[in-house]
Amino acid sequence: EETLAIYDMKFLNNNLSIDKIHSSRYPHSLGLFYTAITSFLGFDVNDAEYKVMGLAAYGNSRYLTKFLEIVSFSKEKGLTLDMDYFDFSPGALFPYTAKFIEVFGPPAPPSKLYAEKFTSISEVNSDMDLLNYANIACSAQECLTSIVKDIFSAFSKKNHQTPILFSGGVALNTKTNSTILKDNRLLISPDPGDGGSSLGAASAVRYLYTGNLTEFTNPYLGYDLSRDLVPTLLSKFTNLKYKKFESEDSLCQTAVDLISSGHVIGWAQGRSEFGPRALGTRSILADPSKKETQLYVNQAVKFREPFRPFAPAVMEDYISTLFDVQGLDFSYHNSPYYYMLSILPVKKQAYDVIPACIHVDGTCRVQIVSQRSNKLFYNLINKFYLQSGVPALLNTSFNLRGEPIVNTSKDAISTFSKSGMHSLFLNDFLISKI
């Protein structure tokens, strides 16, 4: 099982070559290490690792030294996990051992019993058990980042002129990515985990037959809603009404008017995104300038833990206005920042502009939106900016807790009908509840 891989990309005589620099394999795997932490903290394995990353911001790194003793890296030996602390065998009840519990304390209960009871660092600090869970999450996150940084330092070259390809499930860790991006230009697939292997396989086959590698131009490769008959689908939902728009301009303006008035909307347009991030075609959108939006969307719309942060989808011309981007390069196509694959620290003025999207550690998991990347979504955000002065929208995946992101029109209508969303924009239709 390959959970982390780094490749060097070079152009020689107009030909692109890709050379593997480093990879990690079972059982000495950073991905499996993070999975063990996920299980220990009461979250669902292979599903909720991103919740550990969110929880980490509420703790401190008191266990970092210990984690770096049991997870280590050297250029000579590679990545090594002390297997006295882990058990990844198929029959293991848990991926951690009694020795792990001896050092870090008893495992957390199922996360729903504790992770839905706090929204602030002060609440965490007042509960010693909760603080311990947050400290374990924070320490594990910093350990992961430290090891990945060491790997890049050992194998990558300074001042790389061509991007380094980073893949494996670990490449979905936005906090780690933000550290690596300070010294490297990275290319990360919108789905760097197992699902993204299909892109690599297709590209490899094309290369074998033609000698050319496919250029990846956008992540919108999935199901196309234009094939669905929306009025026919809506006839089965007696509690919904709909209106059809004749132009993209009127569609976007109506959406902006509703968002500006406090509505949380579903936005399902065209082809779905490839990968786990909603990038503006299967999204739930809201006004990021109202702090209370964060809690409402978490609890009333998505029915999930209140501490979870949201991403701002930001027009590319305003990234440096809201975020500290000193020393970072956004100029190359397919930068991870276009796919919500890294975080940025916010500037002071961002707290007045997008408070609903700022995590407790003062960062945002940003999606840069350009006309090139998604013209319709860019136009929607631009209209919102012209009306409100806010060049961003709160963007989260169009799904409810425990469910996949919607794919078809039927999925979108069904999810909308049982959530706290106020309106649904499905291609050129506005769907409302009666």
Side-chain angles (χ1 to χ4, degrees):
E1 179 182 343
E2 189 168 83
T3 60
L4 178 150
I6 307 169
Y7 302 86
D8 188 18
M9 303 177 66
K10 296 188 282 292
F11 281 98
L12 297 172
N13 301 320
N14 295 322
N15 291 319
L16 176 64
S17 67
I18 300 179
D19 301 315
K20 182 179 287 187
I21 298 174
H22 174 76
S23 65
S24 64
R25 291 187 176 275
Y26 177 89
H28 302 288
S29 158
L30 284 174
L32 290 177
F33 160 68
Y34 212 76
T35 291
I37 301 301
T38 302
S39 174
F40 189 81
L41 293 175
F43 296 109
D44 293 333
V45 168
N46 297 322
D47 177 64
E49 280 74 8
Y50 56 92
K51 296 182 185 180
V52 176
M53 189 166 49
L55 179 61
Y58 290 82
N60 62 63
S61 55
R62 62 168 299 191
Y63 296 109
L64 176 59
T65 300
K66 187 60 185 179
F67 275 131
L68 289 174
E69 292 175 4
I70 65 178
V71 184
S72 59
F73 168 80
S74 70
K75 192 169 184 179
E76 295 72 30
K77 296 181 179 180
L79 178 70
T80 303
L81 270 62
D82 185 339
M83 296 308 296
D84 287 342
Y85 291 85
F86 306 101
D87 186 352
F88 302 130
S89 59
L93 187 61
F94 302 106
Y96 49 86
T97 64
K99 189 170 183 179
F100 192 100
I101 296 172
E102 181 183 327
V103 173
F104 299 104
S111 61
K112 63 182 180 181
L113 299 180
Y114 76 90
E116 300 181 8
K117 298 179 180 180
F118 71 94
T119 58
S120 69
I121 290 179
S122 61
E123 289 176 285
V124 173
N125 289 336
S126 65
D127 184 323
M128 295 309 296
D129 288 335
L130 182 53
L131 179 60
N132 193 54
Y133 305 148
N135 290 343
I136 290 171
C138 180
S139 302
Q141 175 61 50
E142 291 200 19
C143 174
L144 179 82
T145 299
S146 177
I147 297 292
V148 175
K149 186 178 180 181
D150 287 347
I151 293 172
F152 270 84
S153 297
F155 293 106
S156 64
K157 299 174 183 177
K158 292 290 184 182
N159 302 316
H160 247 301
Q161 295 304 306
T162 54
I164 298 173
L165 196 62
F166 185 28
S167 70
V170 173
L172 282 166
N173 192 292
T174 57
K175 193 163 187 177
T176 296
N177 291 345
S178 68
T179 298
I180 306 306
L181 279 161
K182 293 175 182 177
D183 298 312
N184 302 272
R185 301 173 86 198
L186 296 182
L187 286 181
I188 306 176
S189 163
D191 189 359
D194 293 342
S197 298
S198 57
L199 273 184
S203 297
V205 170
R206 186 174 190 272
Y207 181 77
L208 289 173
Y209 280 93
T210 68
N212 297 313
L213 281 170
T214 304
E215 181 185 2
F216 185 79
T217 56
N218 72 71
Y220 307 105
L221 305 174
Y223 185 86
D224 189 350
L225 292 175
S226 65
R227 69 181 69 179
D228 295 338
L229 299 175
V230 175
T232 301
L233 292 170
L234 285 170
S235 64
K236 301 177 182 179
F237 293 83
T238 57
N239 62 326
L240 301 178
K241 60 181 179 179
Y242 68 90
K243 169 186 176 181
K244 191 174 189 300
F245 292 94
E246 299 302 323
S247 71
E248 178 183 301
D249 184 73
S250 59
L251 172 82
C252 289
Q253 187 57 59
T254 301
V256 165
D257 289 341
L258 290 174
I259 293 172
S260 298
S261 67
H263 280 220
V264 176
I265 71 167
W267 183 259
Q269 304 289 327
R271 299 186 69 167
S272 61
E273 303 89 339
F274 180 82
R277 310 290 196 218
L279 300 171
T281 63
R282 301 292 188 278
S283 292
I284 294 172
L285 305 174
D287 183 352
S289 69
K290 297 179 173 63
K291 175 65 177 175
E292 62 272 16
T293 301
Q294 188 260 354
L295 192 59
Y296 177 80
V297 177
N298 267 332
Q299 294 187 321
V301 175
K302 300 197 73 171
F303 311 116
R304 68 181 199 178
E305 301 91 344
F307 75 89
R308 301 266 298 277
F310 292 108
V314 187
M315 296 164 62
E316 62 179 348
D317 295 338
Y318 296 91
I319 291 295
S320 61
T321 303
L322 298 173
F323 305 99
D324 181 2
V325 298
Q326 186 174 3
L328 297 175
D329 181 7
F330 302 100
S331 63
Y332 60 98
H333 192 41
N334 290 329
S335 161
Y337 291 100
Y338 287 88
Y339 305 136
M340 286 191 200
L341 289 172
S342 190
I343 60 174
L344 287 172
V346 301
K347 290 183 175 179
K348 184 178 179 180
Q349 56 264 35
Y351 283 92
D352 295 324
V353 182
I354 55 168
C357 295
I358 301 175
H359 200 28
V360 293
D361 59 359
T363 66
C364 290
R365 174 166 54 94
V366 176
Q367 178 196 359
I368 297 177
V369 182
S370 67
Q371 286 191 316
R372 179 189 69 245
S373 62
N374 188 327
K375 183 180 177 181
L376 177 62
F377 195 37
Y378 178 90
N379 289 343
L380 175 70
I381 301 172
N382 187 47
K383 280 187 176 294
F384 184 70
Y385 167 66
L386 294 175
Q387 185 160 311
S388 68
V390 178
L393 287 172
L394 182 151
N395 179 17
T396 187
S397 55
F398 195 154
N399 67 298
L400 305 183
R401 181 178 185 170
E403 296 183 359
I405 299 176
V406 301
N407 191 34
T408 67
S409 295
K410 182 179 179 181
D411 296 337
I413 295 169
S414 175
T415 298
F416 166 69
S417 68
K418 56 188 179 183
S419 82
M421 279 178 279
H422 301 95
S423 308
L424 168 60
F425 288 80
L426 177 57
N427 273 356
D428 50 358
F429 290 91
L430 165 60
I431 301 170
S432 308
K433 296 169 182 174
I434 297 175

